Amino acid sequence: MRLLLSLLLLGSSLPALAATKLDKLALPKGFHVALYADQVPNAREMAVGANGTVFVGSTGAGKVYALTDRDGDGVAEQVRVIASGLQLPMGVAFHDGDLYVSAVSRIVVLRGIEQHLDAPPKPELVTDRLPTETHHGGKFLAFGPDGKLYVPIGAPCNICDPAPDHGKLIRMNPDGGGWEDVASGIRNTVGFDWQPGSGHLWFTDNGRDLLGDDIPSDELNEITATGQHFGYPYCHQGDTLDPDFGKGRSCKDYVPPVLKLGAHVASLGMRFYDGNQFPASYKGAIIVAEHGSWNRTQKSGYRVMTVRLKGNKVLSYAPLITGFEQDESAWGRPADVQPLADGSVLVSDDLAGAVYRVTYKP
């Protein structure tokens, strides 16, 4: 691993964040990282509009942001607040010109948003029927190839038996109707995407806490049929029964993960890379943002990882970006990844309140 960093000047001087922190990041040879935008507090999920606007949800800020790079130089010149006063609006999904935003028990939509960035429309209610708990209440959103909106409902706890209303992934029509359960036994997924070719939905899932530093692992899972159960709260990481809820159960009864991502790495946003800028070995790979552990004796995560696949078989699991944490002190926490049309990839960081752009040039 070699350190290759591209620091992009904004005006006469670099923002303090880039000047003091970005040079700590390490990437494989030929890869570069630059600041795309700062002033995006608590930046979480990202979505890209039809005109290239990058939308970013947030947590503590209660706001949704629109980032615009009008001249195509790889830097967003303007950061707008397009919605505020929402409860944990971390999830954003763009569909047919409209931006859907999660807000715990509610999903709202901003109609025709790219034509109204300077005077955003009032959010319209899509549904208010989701659970009200804020523990794992923030929701990653995405529209599937079927035109349905996919919404996770996390377990309202560290460990409990939350079925049938929690611990699952559902889908609905864009108007908020037609709810269907997609999969269950999911503690809290904060990232999912559809694999090019197979069309299968893959997702990250956060393992439970308070079983020690090294178990259970976070999971990377593949849904191959509607209605599959992925184990929570009975079986963790495909092979470890829960000391309380696993009694009388067998891990063989649940779908095991395709890959164990590591204990407490807090795997969040993930996307398949289908661009052409990165080397050919990255085509079809999964890029995962690992937010980082909160109570592990030695920190884990705080990185962006690449999972290379052949079909649904894992070929490798290797770092794309490290350095957000040194000597047990973290300055950044990756939250989501978002490929752009030019083949570069954005990374959101909710601790630094920034979005970075990763490019490849040998």
Side-chain angles (χ1 to χ4, degrees):
M1 181 75 70
R2 294 174 57 187
L3 179 64
L4 287 170
L5 183 65
S6 171
L7 292 178
L8 190 53
L9 291 174
L10 300 179
S12 60
S13 64
L14 286 165
L17 172 68
T20 62
K21 300 298 186 182
L22 276 184
D23 60 355
K24 297 180 181 295
L25 297 180
L27 298 92
K29 183 178 180 180
F31 284 88
H32 310 265
V33 61
L35 186 68
Y36 185 78
D38 59 1
Q39 303 175 43
V40 194
N42 309 116
R44 294 296 294 253
E45 186 183 359
M46 297 176 286
V48 181
N51 298 333
T53 309
V54 176
F55 299 101
V56 187
S58 69
T59 50
K63 298 177 180 178
V64 180
Y65 302 90
L67 317 182
T68 51
D69 173 16
R70 289 184 297 273
D71 58 10
D73 65 351
V75 177
E77 297 88 6
Q78 190 167 7
V79 177
R80 298 176 175 93
V81 175
I82 57 170
S84 59
L86 298 174
Q87 185 180 27
L88 301 176
M90 56 177 274
V92 288
F94 188 84
H95 179 69
D96 287 346
D98 302 328
L99 186 71
Y100 291 71
V101 181
S102 65
V104 186
S105 63
R106 304 165 66 235
I107 295 174
V108 298
V109 61
L110 303 176
R111 303 288 186 192
I113 185 58
E114 285 189 293
Q115 284 70 52
H116 304 94
L117 293 175
D118 289 320
K122 181 180 178 180
E124 296 179 12
L125 182 67
V126 175
T127 184
D128 59 1
R129 295 169 47 208
L130 293 160
T132 59
E133 292 91 349
T134 56
H135 191 125
H136 296 155
K139 295 173 175 63
F140 186 98
L141 299 180
F143 276 89
D146 55 5
K148 304 270 190 176
L149 178 62
Y150 284 67
V151 183
I153 302 178
C157 56
N158 169 39
I159 184 72
C160 59
D161 194 343
D165 296 327
H166 298 78
K168 61 184 180 179
L169 179 65
I170 69 169
R171 63 187 171 195
M172 64 182 70
N173 297 329
D175 64 2
W179 286 31
E180 300 174 275
D181 286 357
V182 176
S184 60
I186 302 169
R187 181 173 179 267
N188 188 40
T189 177
V190 195
F192 45 88
D193 195 14
W194 287 261
Q195 184 178 31
S198 75
H200 290 171
L201 177 60
W202 292 60
F203 66 93
T204 58
D205 194 13
N206 291 173
R208 65 156 292 180
D209 295 313
L210 306 179
L211 285 185
D213 277 356
D214 299 321
I215 59 171
S217 178
D218 282 9
E219 301 175 2
L220 178 64
N221 294 290
E222 177 191 20
I223 299 174
T224 58
T226 301
Q228 290 177 308
H229 193 293
F230 289 84
Y232 179 87
Y234 316 118
C235 174
H236 309 295
Q237 67 177 33
D239 58 14
T240 302
L241 288 173
D242 189 83
D244 296 316
F245 293 93
K247 295 175 181 178
R249 306 275 181 168
S250 172
C251 283
K252 294 180 180 178
D253 294 332
Y254 310 106
V255 181
V258 176
L259 178 65
K260 297 178 186 179
L261 297 173
H264 310 299
V265 298
S267 52
L268 300 186
M270 60 143 283
R271 316 277 178 172
F272 282 92
Y273 183 79
D274 202 31
N276 296 313
Q277 184 180 131
F278 289 8
S281 62
Y282 284 80
K283 191 81 167 182
I286 298 173
I287 302 176
V288 183
E290 295 185 353
H291 198 231
S293 59
W294 66 274
N295 68 341
R296 194 171 184 270
T297 303
Q298 290 186 318
K299 287 183 167 59
S300 60
Y302 300 94
R303 60 190 182 179
V304 178
M305 300 292 287
T306 301
V307 182
R308 291 186 179 85
L309 301 169
K310 184 175 182 180
N312 66 351
K313 304 300 183 185
V314 175
L315 300 179
S316 65
Y317 176 46
L320 178 62
I321 311 176
T322 58
F324 291 100
E325 172 266 322
Q326 293 97 20
D327 301 322
E328 295 299 301
S329 178
W331 62 268
R333 302 190 78 181
D336 193 20
V337 296
Q338 177 62 66
L340 296 181
D342 66 356
S344 62
V345 173
L346 299 182
V347 178
S348 62
D349 177 347
D350 68 348
L351 180 58
V355 176
Y356 316 111
R357 179 170 173 259
V358 179
T359 55
Y360 179 79
K361 185 176 181 181

